[in-house]
Amino acid sequence: YRCANAAAAMHPPASIAALIAARVDRLPAAAKAAVECAAVLGDPIVPARIARMVGQRVPEVEVSLRHARAAGLLAGAGGVDGWYGFRHALVQETVARSLSWSRRKQLHRAAYEALRGDTDAPAAEDIGRLAQHAFAGEAWPEAVACAMQAVSRAIARSAHRDALRMDRQAEVREGVLDRGQGIPDAYARKEARLAMPRDVGIECRTRWRFDEA
């Protein structure tokens, strides 16, 4: 079984959400910031990525994550070969829902940069995450670029349904670009539009229908 409405799949009861929020608020400022970053990035919680998001060294982030673990918010052994994760999905959901719009946008942009820092050539499964964070962070040119990479890779592996879905998402981003939202520089808007092939959607639809026949 799966939930028909993913957006409403998980709404923590008020009493549980209040308990989680109280534990987060009692954390030191650095630990609270690390947990907020982790809530946007999701599991697994990689200290190096959090460090890039908050501008700290990895050992400092490890200390913050241990504070969160001691508060019952995270689980895991940590360390070089260890891992961290949220003790329960409700913790991540509660922290994410508590973020203001501006804070969430800021963290999504930081998450995009942190994931880009992992490698110069992201794996196929990471491109979608990059596009998601870029879009949520209103980094429109980066969102378009990642979406089109995802489309190209989906076509290459004959996943034309996925390619068509991602192409439609790219069209939404292009509409935002055309309105100039978030991109004050006209040259940047032009460069972003030129980066998007116009025939991708036609190719996806044609191949999908061929596969369906």
Side-chain angles (χ1 to χ4, degrees):
Y1 300 94
R2 74 180 173 185
C3 181
N5 186 354
M10 192 182 304
H11 294 287
S15 57
I16 296 178
L19 176 62
I20 294 171
R23 292 189 181 187
V24 172
D25 287 339
R26 287 196 294 267
L27 291 173
K32 181 178 180 180
V35 170
E36 289 176 347
C37 290
V40 170
L41 271 175
D43 288 335
I45 299 171
V46 181
R49 291 175 179 170
I50 303 295
R52 286 195 288 269
M53 290 181 70
V54 298
Q56 294 180 339
R57 296 183 297 113
V58 173
E60 295 172 322
V61 171
E62 285 275 4
V63 171
S64 295
L65 295 177
R66 286 196 291 270
H67 277 297
R69 184 181 60 190
L73 300 170
L74 303 182
V80 177
D81 297 321
W83 58 274
Y84 289 101
F86 284 98
R87 186 169 292 276
H88 195 282
L90 290 176
V91 176
Q92 179 183 359
E93 176 69 12
T94 299
V95 175
R97 288 171 62 86
S98 72
L99 299 173
S100 67
W101 174 82
S102 59
R103 175 65 170 161
R104 187 180 299 111
K105 183 174 74 170
Q106 173 193 7
L107 290 180
H108 275 294
R109 286 198 178 198
Y112 170 83
E113 296 296 339
L115 290 172
R116 284 292 300 179
D118 284 349
T119 176
D120 292 333
E125 60 270 19
D126 292 332
I127 291 294
R129 293 183 65 194
L130 285 167
Q132 175 189 357
H133 288 302
F135 182 61
E138 297 187 6
W140 305 123
E142 293 84 354
V144 169
C146 289
M148 297 317 302
Q149 285 185 56
V151 169
S152 298
R153 294 188 182 190
I155 291 174
R157 67 175 192 274
S158 298
H160 301 123
R161 286 179 182 269
D162 290 343
L164 183 57
R165 173 178 54 80
M166 288 180 285
D167 182 58
R168 285 170 176 165
Q169 292 175 354
E171 288 175 358
V172 172
R173 292 165 173 80
E174 182 182 11
V176 176
L177 290 175
D178 286 337
R179 294 192 298 272
Q181 297 181 16
I183 309 178
D185 183 80
Y187 179 77
R189 293 198 299 272
K190 179 180 178 182
E191 287 296 304
R193 286 196 296 269
L194 290 175
M196 294 185 297
R198 298 289 177 170
D199 60 344
V200 169
I202 297 174
E203 181 177 2
C204 292
R205 292 179 180 90
T206 301
R207 295 191 183 184
W208 177 20
R209 288 167 183 162
F210 178 80
D211 291 344
E212 292 281 310

Short mmCIF file of all heavy atoms in Angstrom, two decimals, residues 58-128:
data_model
loop_
_atom_site.label_atom_id
_atom_site.label_comp_id
_atom_site.label_asym_id
_atom_site.label_seq_id
_atom_site.Cartn_x
_atom_site.Cartn_y
_atom_site.Cartn_z
N VAL A 58 34.18 19.55 9.99
CA VAL A 58 33.46 18.30 10.27
C VAL A 58 33.49 17.92 11.75
O VAL A 58 32.45 17.52 12.30
CB VAL A 58 34.01 17.15 9.39
CG1 VAL A 58 33.39 15.81 9.79
CG2 VAL A 58 33.74 17.43 7.92
N PRO A 59 34.63 18.03 12.46
CA PRO A 59 34.62 17.68 13.89
C PRO A 59 33.63 18.53 14.70
O PRO A 59 33.01 18.03 15.65
CB PRO A 59 36.06 17.94 14.33
CG PRO A 59 36.86 17.77 13.09
CD PRO A 59 36.00 18.31 11.99
N GLU A 60 33.46 19.79 14.32
CA GLU A 60 32.50 20.65 15.01
C GLU A 60 31.08 20.17 14.77
O GLU A 60 30.23 20.17 15.68
CB GLU A 60 32.67 22.09 14.55
CG GLU A 60 34.00 22.72 14.92
CD GLU A 60 34.21 24.08 14.30
OE1 GLU A 60 33.79 24.27 13.13
OE2 GLU A 60 34.79 24.96 14.96
N VAL A 61 30.82 19.75 13.54
CA VAL A 61 29.49 19.24 13.21
C VAL A 61 29.24 17.92 13.95
O VAL A 61 28.12 17.66 14.40
CB VAL A 61 29.34 19.06 11.69
CG1 VAL A 61 28.06 18.31 11.34
CG2 VAL A 61 29.36 20.42 11.00
N GLU A 62 30.26 17.09 14.07
CA GLU A 62 30.12 15.83 14.80
C GLU A 62 29.67 16.10 16.24
O GLU A 62 28.80 15.39 16.77
CB GLU A 62 31.44 15.07 14.80
CG GLU A 62 31.79 14.40 13.48
CD GLU A 62 31.14 13.03 13.34
OE1 GLU A 62 30.37 12.63 14.23
OE2 GLU A 62 31.43 12.37 12.33
N VAL A 63 30.23 17.12 16.86
CA VAL A 63 29.83 17.48 18.23
C VAL A 63 28.35 17.87 18.26
O VAL A 63 27.60 17.44 19.14
CB VAL A 63 30.71 18.63 18.77
CG1 VAL A 63 30.16 19.14 20.10
CG2 VAL A 63 32.15 18.17 18.93
N SER A 64 27.93 18.66 17.28
CA SER A 64 26.53 19.08 17.22
C SER A 64 25.60 17.89 17.01
O SER A 64 24.54 17.80 17.65
CB SER A 64 26.33 20.09 16.08
OG SER A 64 27.04 21.28 16.32
N LEU A 65 25.99 16.97 16.16
CA LEU A 65 25.15 15.80 15.90
C LEU A 65 25.07 14.90 17.12
O LEU A 65 24.03 14.28 17.39
CB LEU A 65 25.68 15.04 14.69
CG LEU A 65 25.60 15.78 13.35
CD1 LEU A 65 26.22 14.95 12.24
CD2 LEU A 65 24.16 16.15 13.01
N ARG A 66 26.15 14.84 17.89
CA ARG A 66 26.11 14.04 19.12
C ARG A 66 25.17 14.67 20.14
O ARG A 66 24.49 13.96 20.90
CB ARG A 66 27.52 13.87 19.69
CG ARG A 66 28.38 12.88 18.90
CD ARG A 66 29.60 12.44 19.70
NE ARG A 66 30.56 13.52 19.88
CZ ARG A 66 31.56 13.78 19.04
NH1 ARG A 66 31.72 13.05 17.95
NH2 ARG A 66 32.40 14.77 19.28
N HIS A 67 25.13 16.00 20.18
CA HIS A 67 24.16 16.69 21.05
C HIS A 67 22.74 16.28 20.66
O HIS A 67 21.90 15.98 21.53
CB HIS A 67 24.31 18.20 20.94
CG HIS A 67 25.39 18.79 21.79
ND1 HIS A 67 25.37 18.71 23.18
CD2 HIS A 67 26.51 19.47 21.47
CE1 HIS A 67 26.44 19.32 23.66
NE2 HIS A 67 27.16 19.78 22.65
N ALA A 68 22.46 16.27 19.36
CA ALA A 68 21.13 15.91 18.88
C ALA A 68 20.82 14.45 19.17
O ALA A 68 19.68 14.10 19.50
CB ALA A 68 21.02 16.20 17.39
N ARG A 69 21.82 13.60 19.07
CA ARG A 69 21.61 12.18 19.39
C ARG A 69 21.30 12.01 20.87
O ARG A 69 20.41 11.24 21.26
CB ARG A 69 22.84 11.38 19.00
CG ARG A 69 22.69 9.87 19.21
CD ARG A 69 23.95 9.13 18.83
NE ARG A 69 25.10 9.58 19.62
CZ ARG A 69 26.36 9.23 19.36
NH1 ARG A 69 26.63 8.47 18.32
NH2 ARG A 69 27.34 9.67 20.12
N ALA A 70 22.03 12.74 21.72
CA ALA A 70 21.79 12.65 23.16
C ALA A 70 20.39 13.15 23.53
O ALA A 70 19.80 12.69 24.51
CB ALA A 70 22.85 13.47 23.91
N ALA A 71 19.85 14.06 22.72
CA ALA A 71 18.50 14.57 22.96
C ALA A 71 17.42 13.64 22.44
O ALA A 71 16.23 13.93 22.57
CB ALA A 71 18.35 15.95 22.31
N GLY A 72 17.83 12.52 21.85
CA GLY A 72 16.88 11.55 21.35
C GLY A 72 16.31 11.87 19.98
O GLY A 72 15.32 11.27 19.56
N LEU A 73 16.95 12.80 19.26
CA LEU A 73 16.45 13.19 17.94
C LEU A 73 17.09 12.38 16.83
O LEU A 73 16.46 12.14 15.79
CB LEU A 73 16.72 14.69 17.70
CG LEU A 73 16.07 15.64 18.71
CD1 LEU A 73 16.61 17.05 18.53
CD2 LEU A 73 14.56 15.62 18.55
N LEU A 74 18.34 11.99 17.02
CA LEU A 74 19.07 11.23 16.01
C LEU A 74 19.49 9.88 16.57
O LEU A 74 19.52 9.67 17.79
CB LEU A 74 20.33 11.99 15.56
CG LEU A 74 20.15 13.39 14.99
CD1 LEU A 74 21.51 13.95 14.56
CD2 LEU A 74 19.17 13.40 13.83
N ALA A 75 19.80 8.98 15.66
CA ALA A 75 20.36 7.68 16.02
C ALA A 75 21.62 7.49 15.20
O ALA A 75 21.88 8.21 14.24
CB ALA A 75 19.36 6.57 15.73
N GLY A 76 22.41 6.49 15.57
CA GLY A 76 23.60 6.18 14.80
C GLY A 76 24.87 6.32 15.60
O GLY A 76 24.90 6.94 16.67
N ALA A 77 25.95 5.74 15.06
CA ALA A 77 27.23 5.70 15.77
C ALA A 77 28.09 6.91 15.48
O ALA A 77 28.94 7.29 16.29
CB ALA A 77 27.99 4.42 15.39
N GLY A 78 27.89 7.54 14.30
CA GLY A 78 28.73 8.68 13.94
C GLY A 78 30.15 8.24 13.66
O GLY A 78 30.45 7.07 13.42
N GLY A 79 31.07 9.19 13.69
CA GLY A 79 32.47 8.88 13.43
C GLY A 79 32.74 8.74 11.94
O GLY A 79 31.86 8.88 11.09
N VAL A 80 34.00 8.44 11.62
CA VAL A 80 34.43 8.36 10.23
C VAL A 80 33.68 7.28 9.46
O VAL A 80 33.21 7.49 8.35
CB VAL A 80 35.95 8.12 10.15
CG1 VAL A 80 36.38 7.96 8.70
CG2 VAL A 80 36.71 9.26 10.82
N ASP A 81 33.54 6.12 10.07
CA ASP A 81 32.90 4.99 9.38
C ASP A 81 31.47 4.77 9.86
O ASP A 81 30.85 3.78 9.47
CB ASP A 81 33.71 3.71 9.62
CG ASP A 81 35.11 3.82 9.03
OD1 ASP A 81 35.23 4.39 7.95
OD2 ASP A 81 36.06 3.33 9.68
N GLY A 82 30.97 5.65 10.72
CA GLY A 82 29.62 5.48 11.25
C GLY A 82 28.58 6.25 10.45
O GLY A 82 28.83 6.66 9.32
N TRP A 83 27.45 6.45 11.04
CA TRP A 83 26.37 7.11 10.34
C TRP A 83 25.44 7.75 11.36
O TRP A 83 25.45 7.42 12.55
CB TRP A 83 25.57 6.11 9.50
CG TRP A 83 24.99 4.99 10.32
CD1 TRP A 83 25.62 3.83 10.66
CD2 TRP A 83 23.71 4.95 10.93
NE1 TRP A 83 24.81 3.06 11.44
CE2 TRP A 83 23.62 3.72 11.63
CE3 TRP A 83 22.61 5.81 10.96
CZ2 TRP A 83 22.49 3.34 12.35
CZ3 TRP A 83 21.49 5.44 11.68
CH2 TRP A 83 21.44 4.21 12.35
N TYR A 84 24.66 8.68 10.89
CA TYR A 84 23.58 9.27 11.68
C TYR A 84 22.31 9.22 10.85
O TYR A 84 22.33 9.24 9.61
CB TYR A 84 23.88 10.74 12.01
CG TYR A 84 24.99 10.96 13.01
CD1 TYR A 84 26.26 11.34 12.60
CD2 TYR A 84 24.76 10.81 14.38
CE1 TYR A 84 27.27 11.55 13.51
CE2 TYR A 84 25.77 11.03 15.30
CZ TYR A 84 27.03 11.40 14.86
OH TYR A 84 28.05 11.61 15.77
N GLY A 85 21.20 9.19 11.54
CA GLY A 85 19.90 9.26 10.89
C GLY A 85 18.88 9.73 11.91
O GLY A 85 19.14 9.70 13.12
N PHE A 86 17.74 10.18 11.45
CA PHE A 86 16.70 10.59 12.38
C PHE A 86 16.15 9.37 13.11
O PHE A 86 15.95 8.32 12.50
CB PHE A 86 15.59 11.32 11.65
CG PHE A 86 15.96 12.73 11.26
CD1 PHE A 86 16.40 13.02 9.99
CD2 PHE A 86 15.89 13.76 12.20
CE1 PHE A 86 16.76 14.31 9.64
CE2 PHE A 86 16.25 15.05 11.86
CZ PHE A 86 16.69 15.33 10.59
N ARG A 87 15.92 9.54 14.41
CA ARG A 87 15.41 8.42 15.20
C ARG A 87 14.04 7.98 14.71
O ARG A 87 13.69 6.79 14.78
CB ARG A 87 15.36 8.81 16.68
CG ARG A 87 14.98 7.66 17.61
CD ARG A 87 15.20 8.03 19.05
NE ARG A 87 16.62 8.18 19.35
CZ ARG A 87 17.43 7.16 19.66
NH1 ARG A 87 16.95 5.92 19.67
NH2 ARG A 87 18.69 7.37 19.92
N HIS A 88 13.27 8.91 14.22
CA HIS A 88 11.96 8.59 13.66
C HIS A 88 11.66 9.61 12.57
O HIS A 88 12.09 10.76 12.65
CB HIS A 88 10.88 8.63 14.74
CG HIS A 88 9.59 7.98 14.31
ND1 HIS A 88 8.69 8.60 13.47
CD2 HIS A 88 9.07 6.77 14.60
CE1 HIS A 88 7.66 7.79 13.27
NE2 HIS A 88 7.86 6.68 13.93
N ALA A 89 10.94 9.19 11.54
CA ALA A 89 10.61 10.09 10.45
C ALA A 89 9.82 11.30 10.93
O ALA A 89 9.88 12.38 10.32
CB ALA A 89 9.81 9.35 9.38
N LEU A 90 9.07 11.14 12.04
CA LEU A 90 8.31 12.27 12.57
C LEU A 90 9.22 13.40 13.05
O LEU A 90 8.83 14.57 13.02
CB LEU A 90 7.42 11.81 13.74
CG LEU A 90 6.24 10.92 13.37
CD1 LEU A 90 5.51 10.48 14.63
CD2 LEU A 90 5.28 11.67 12.45
N VAL A 91 10.43 13.06 13.47
CA VAL A 91 11.37 14.09 13.91
C VAL A 91 11.76 14.97 12.72
O VAL A 91 11.70 16.21 12.78
CB VAL A 91 12.62 13.47 14.54
CG1 VAL A 91 13.63 14.55 14.91
CG2 VAL A 91 12.25 12.66 15.78
N GLN A 92 12.15 14.32 11.63
CA GLN A 92 12.51 15.08 10.43
C GLN A 92 11.34 15.91 9.95
O GLN A 92 11.50 17.10 9.61
CB GLN A 92 12.97 14.13 9.32
CG GLN A 92 13.33 14.88 8.04
CD GLN A 92 13.71 13.94 6.90
OE1 GLN A 92 13.73 12.72 7.07
NE2 GLN A 92 14.02 14.49 5.75
N GLU A 93 10.15 15.32 9.92
CA GLU A 93 8.97 16.04 9.43
C GLU A 93 8.65 17.25 10.30
O GLU A 93 8.36 18.33 9.80
CB GLU A 93 7.77 15.08 9.40
CG GLU A 93 6.46 15.72 8.99
CD GLU A 93 6.43 16.13 7.54
OE1 GLU A 93 7.32 15.73 6.78
OE2 GLU A 93 5.50 16.87 7.16
N THR A 94 8.74 17.08 11.61
CA THR A 94 8.43 18.18 12.52
C THR A 94 9.43 19.33 12.37
O THR A 94 9.05 20.50 12.32
CB THR A 94 8.43 17.69 13.98
OG1 THR A 94 7.43 16.68 14.13
CG2 THR A 94 8.15 18.82 14.95
N VAL A 95 10.71 18.99 12.29
CA VAL A 95 11.73 20.03 12.15
C VAL A 95 11.56 20.75 10.82
O VAL A 95 11.62 21.99 10.75
CB VAL A 95 13.14 19.43 12.26
CG1 VAL A 95 14.20 20.50 11.98
CG2 VAL A 95 13.36 18.82 13.64
N ALA A 96 11.32 20.01 9.75
CA ALA A 96 11.16 20.62 8.43
C ALA A 96 9.95 21.55 8.39
O ALA A 96 10.01 22.64 7.82
CB ALA A 96 11.04 19.54 7.36
N ARG A 97 8.86 21.13 9.02
CA ARG A 97 7.64 21.94 9.01
C ARG A 97 7.77 23.19 9.87
O ARG A 97 7.01 24.16 9.70
CB ARG A 97 6.45 21.10 9.48
CG ARG A 97 6.00 20.06 8.46
CD ARG A 97 4.97 19.11 9.08
NE ARG A 97 3.76 19.80 9.48
CZ ARG A 97 2.72 20.06 8.68
NH1 ARG A 97 2.77 19.68 7.42
NH2 ARG A 97 1.65 20.66 9.13
N SER A 98 8.71 23.18 10.80
CA SER A 98 8.89 24.34 11.68
C SER A 98 9.68 25.47 11.02
O SER A 98 9.69 26.60 11.54
CB SER A 98 9.60 23.91 12.96
OG SER A 98 10.97 23.62 12.71
N LEU A 99 10.32 25.19 9.90
CA LEU A 99 11.16 26.19 9.24
C LEU A 99 10.31 27.25 8.56
O LEU A 99 9.29 26.94 7.95
CB LEU A 99 12.06 25.52 8.21
CG LEU A 99 13.05 24.46 8.72
CD1 LEU A 99 13.74 23.77 7.56
CD2 LEU A 99 14.06 25.08 9.67
N SER A 100 10.75 28.49 8.68
CA SER A 100 10.08 29.56 7.94
C SER A 100 10.37 29.40 6.45
O SER A 100 11.30 28.69 6.05
CB SER A 100 10.57 30.93 8.42
OG SER A 100 11.95 31.11 8.09
N TRP A 101 9.58 30.09 5.63
CA TRP A 101 9.78 29.98 4.19
C TRP A 101 11.17 30.45 3.79
O TRP A 101 11.85 29.78 2.99
CB TRP A 101 8.72 30.82 3.47
CG TRP A 101 8.93 30.87 1.99
CD1 TRP A 101 8.56 29.94 1.06
CD2 TRP A 101 9.61 31.91 1.26
NE1 TRP A 101 8.95 30.34 -0.20
CE2 TRP A 101 9.59 31.54 -0.12
CE3 TRP A 101 10.20 33.11 1.63
CZ2 TRP A 101 10.16 32.34 -1.10
CZ3 TRP A 101 10.77 33.91 0.65
CH2 TRP A 101 10.74 33.52 -0.71
N SER A 102 11.62 31.57 4.34
CA SER A 102 12.94 32.09 3.97
C SER A 102 14.06 31.17 4.44
O SER A 102 15.04 30.95 3.73
CB SER A 102 13.13 33.49 4.54
OG SER A 102 13.02 33.49 5.95
N ARG A 103 13.89 30.61 5.64
CA ARG A 103 14.90 29.69 6.16
C ARG A 103 14.94 28.41 5.34
O ARG A 103 16.02 27.90 5.02
CB ARG A 103 14.59 29.36 7.63
CG ARG A 103 15.49 28.32 8.28
CD ARG A 103 16.92 28.77 8.39
NE ARG A 103 17.70 27.86 9.22
CZ ARG A 103 19.02 27.80 9.20
NH1 ARG A 103 19.71 28.60 8.41
NH2 ARG A 103 19.68 26.95 9.98
N ARG A 104 13.79 27.91 4.96
CA ARG A 104 13.74 26.68 4.16
C ARG A 104 14.40 26.91 2.80
O ARG A 104 15.16 26.07 2.32
CB ARG A 104 12.28 26.23 3.98
CG ARG A 104 12.15 24.87 3.29
CD ARG A 104 10.70 24.46 3.15
NE ARG A 104 10.05 24.32 4.44
CZ ARG A 104 9.10 25.13 4.89
NH1 ARG A 104 8.69 26.15 4.16
NH2 ARG A 104 8.56 24.93 6.07
N LYS A 105 14.10 28.05 2.18
CA LYS A 105 14.72 28.36 0.89
C LYS A 105 16.23 28.45 1.03
O LYS A 105 16.98 27.93 0.19
CB LYS A 105 14.16 29.67 0.34
CG LYS A 105 14.71 30.03 -1.04
CD LYS A 105 14.02 31.26 -1.63
CE LYS A 105 14.48 32.52 -0.94
NZ LYS A 105 14.02 33.74 -1.66
N GLN A 106 16.69 29.11 2.08
CA GLN A 106 18.13 29.23 2.33
C GLN A 106 18.78 27.86 2.46
O GLN A 106 19.85 27.61 1.89
CB GLN A 106 18.36 30.05 3.59
CG GLN A 106 19.82 30.12 4.04
CD GLN A 106 19.97 30.66 5.45
OE1 GLN A 106 18.98 30.88 6.16
NE2 GLN A 106 21.20 30.88 5.85
N LEU A 107 18.13 26.97 3.22
CA LEU A 107 18.72 25.66 3.46
C LEU A 107 18.69 24.79 2.20
O LEU A 107 19.60 23.98 1.99
CB LEU A 107 17.99 24.96 4.61
CG LEU A 107 18.22 25.57 5.99
CD1 LEU A 107 17.45 24.80 7.07
CD2 LEU A 107 19.71 25.60 6.34
N HIS A 108 17.66 24.92 1.39
CA HIS A 108 17.64 24.16 0.14
C HIS A 108 18.76 24.60 -0.79
O HIS A 108 19.39 23.77 -1.45
CB HIS A 108 16.28 24.30 -0.55
CG HIS A 108 15.25 23.35 -0.06
ND1 HIS A 108 15.35 21.99 -0.25
CD2 HIS A 108 14.09 23.55 0.62
CE1 HIS A 108 14.30 21.39 0.28
NE2 HIS A 108 13.52 22.30 0.82
N ARG A 109 19.02 25.89 -0.83
CA ARG A 109 20.15 26.36 -1.65
C ARG A 109 21.47 25.82 -1.10
O ARG A 109 22.34 25.39 -1.86
CB ARG A 109 20.18 27.89 -1.66
CG ARG A 109 19.10 28.51 -2.51
CD ARG A 109 19.43 29.95 -2.83
NE ARG A 109 18.41 30.54 -3.68
CZ ARG A 109 18.59 31.64 -4.40
NH1 ARG A 109 19.76 32.25 -4.37
NH2 ARG A 109 17.62 32.13 -5.14
N ALA A 110 21.60 25.84 0.23
CA ALA A 110 22.82 25.31 0.85
C ALA A 110 22.93 23.82 0.60
O ALA A 110 24.04 23.29 0.40
CB ALA A 110 22.82 25.61 2.35
N ALA A 111 21.80 23.11 0.62
CA ALA A 111 21.81 21.67 0.36
C ALA A 111 22.26 21.39 -1.07
O ALA A 111 23.02 20.44 -1.32
CB ALA A 111 20.43 21.08 0.61
N TYR A 112 21.79 22.19 -2.01
CA TYR A 112 22.23 22.03 -3.40
C TYR A 112 23.74 22.17 -3.50
O TYR A 112 24.41 21.34 -4.12
CB TYR A 112 21.54 23.07 -4.28
CG TYR A 112 22.11 23.14 -5.68
CD1 TYR A 112 21.68 22.25 -6.65
CD2 TYR A 112 23.08 24.09 -6.01
CE1 TYR A 112 22.22 22.30 -7.94
CE2 TYR A 112 23.63 24.14 -7.28
CZ TYR A 112 23.19 23.25 -8.24
OH TYR A 112 23.73 23.29 -9.50
N GLU A 113 24.29 23.20 -2.88
CA GLU A 113 25.73 23.41 -2.94
C GLU A 113 26.49 22.29 -2.23
O GLU A 113 27.55 21.86 -2.69
CB GLU A 113 26.08 24.76 -2.31
CG GLU A 113 25.52 25.96 -3.06
CD GLU A 113 26.08 26.11 -4.46
OE1 GLU A 113 27.16 25.56 -4.74
OE2 GLU A 113 25.43 26.78 -5.28
N ALA A 114 25.93 21.80 -1.12
CA ALA A 114 26.59 20.73 -0.37
C ALA A 114 26.65 19.45 -1.18
O ALA A 114 27.67 18.75 -1.21
CB ALA A 114 25.87 20.49 0.95
N LEU A 115 25.54 19.11 -1.86
CA LEU A 115 25.52 17.91 -2.68
C LEU A 115 26.41 18.05 -3.90
O LEU A 115 27.06 17.09 -4.31
CB LEU A 115 24.08 17.60 -3.11
CG LEU A 115 23.14 17.12 -2.01
CD1 LEU A 115 21.71 17.03 -2.53
CD2 LEU A 115 23.59 15.78 -1.46
N ARG A 116 26.44 19.25 -4.47
CA ARG A 116 27.34 19.49 -5.61
C ARG A 116 28.79 19.32 -5.18
O ARG A 116 29.64 18.94 -6.00
CB ARG A 116 27.14 20.90 -6.16
CG ARG A 116 25.89 21.08 -6.98
CD ARG A 116 25.90 20.34 -8.27
NE ARG A 116 27.00 20.73 -9.16
CZ ARG A 116 27.22 20.19 -10.35
NH1 ARG A 116 26.43 19.23 -10.80
NH2 ARG A 116 28.23 20.58 -11.10
N GLY A 117 29.08 19.58 -3.93
CA GLY A 117 30.44 19.46 -3.44
C GLY A 117 30.92 18.03 -3.30
O GLY A 117 32.12 17.79 -3.13
N ASP A 118 30.00 17.06 -3.36
CA ASP A 118 30.40 15.66 -3.24
C ASP A 118 31.25 15.22 -4.41
O ASP A 118 32.19 14.46 -4.27
CB ASP A 118 29.16 14.76 -3.13
CG ASP A 118 28.53 14.83 -1.75
OD1 ASP A 118 29.16 15.41 -0.83
OD2 ASP A 118 27.41 14.32 -1.60
N THR A 119 30.89 15.67 -5.61
CA THR A 119 31.59 15.25 -6.82
C THR A 119 31.27 16.20 -7.95
O THR A 119 30.22 16.85 -7.96
CB THR A 119 31.18 13.81 -7.24
OG1 THR A 119 31.82 13.49 -8.47
CG2 THR A 119 29.68 13.69 -7.39
N ASP A 120 32.17 16.30 -8.91
CA ASP A 120 31.93 17.15 -10.08
C ASP A 120 30.99 16.49 -11.06
O ASP A 120 30.43 17.15 -11.94
CB ASP A 120 33.26 17.46 -10.79
CG ASP A 120 34.15 18.36 -9.95
OD1 ASP A 120 33.61 19.13 -9.14
OD2 ASP A 120 35.39 18.27 -10.10
N ALA A 121 30.81 15.18 -10.94
CA ALA A 121 29.92 14.44 -11.86
C ALA A 121 28.93 13.63 -11.03
O ALA A 121 29.18 12.46 -10.72
CB ALA A 121 30.74 13.52 -12.76
N PRO A 122 27.81 14.24 -10.62
CA PRO A 122 26.85 13.54 -9.77
C PRO A 122 26.30 12.28 -10.43
O PRO A 122 26.13 12.23 -11.65
CB PRO A 122 25.74 14.58 -9.57
CG PRO A 122 26.37 15.89 -9.90
CD PRO A 122 27.39 15.60 -10.94
N ALA A 123 26.04 11.27 -9.62
CA ALA A 123 25.43 10.05 -10.13
C ALA A 123 24.01 10.34 -10.57
O ALA A 123 23.40 11.35 -10.20
CB ALA A 123 25.45 8.97 -9.03
N ALA A 124 23.47 9.43 -11.37
CA ALA A 124 22.14 9.65 -11.93
C ALA A 124 21.10 9.86 -10.84
O ALA A 124 20.22 10.71 -10.97
CB ALA A 124 21.77 8.45 -12.80
N GLU A 125 21.20 9.10 -9.76
CA GLU A 125 20.20 9.21 -8.70
C GLU A 125 20.31 10.52 -7.93
O GLU A 125 19.38 10.93 -7.24
CB GLU A 125 20.30 8.03 -7.73
CG GLU A 125 21.64 7.88 -7.03
CD GLU A 125 22.62 7.01 -7.78
OE1 GLU A 125 22.42 6.82 -9.00
OE2 GLU A 125 23.57 6.54 -7.16
N ASP A 126 21.47 11.19 -8.03
CA ASP A 126 21.66 12.45 -7.31
C ASP A 126 21.17 13.65 -8.10
O ASP A 126 20.91 14.71 -7.52
CB ASP A 126 23.14 12.65 -6.98
CG ASP A 126 23.65 11.65 -5.95
OD1 ASP A 126 22.82 11.19 -5.13
OD2 ASP A 126 24.85 11.32 -5.96
N ILE A 127 21.03 13.51 -9.42
CA ILE A 127 20.61 14.65 -10.24
C ILE A 127 19.22 15.11 -9.84
O ILE A 127 18.94 16.31 -9.74
CB ILE A 127 20.64 14.28 -11.73
CG1 ILE A 127 22.08 14.09 -12.21
CG2 ILE A 127 19.96 15.36 -12.56
CD1 ILE A 127 22.91 15.36 -12.17
N GLY A 128 18.33 14.17 -9.61
CA GLY A 128 16.97 14.52 -9.20
C GLY A 128 16.95 15.26 -7.88
O GLY A 128 16.19 16.22 -7.70
#
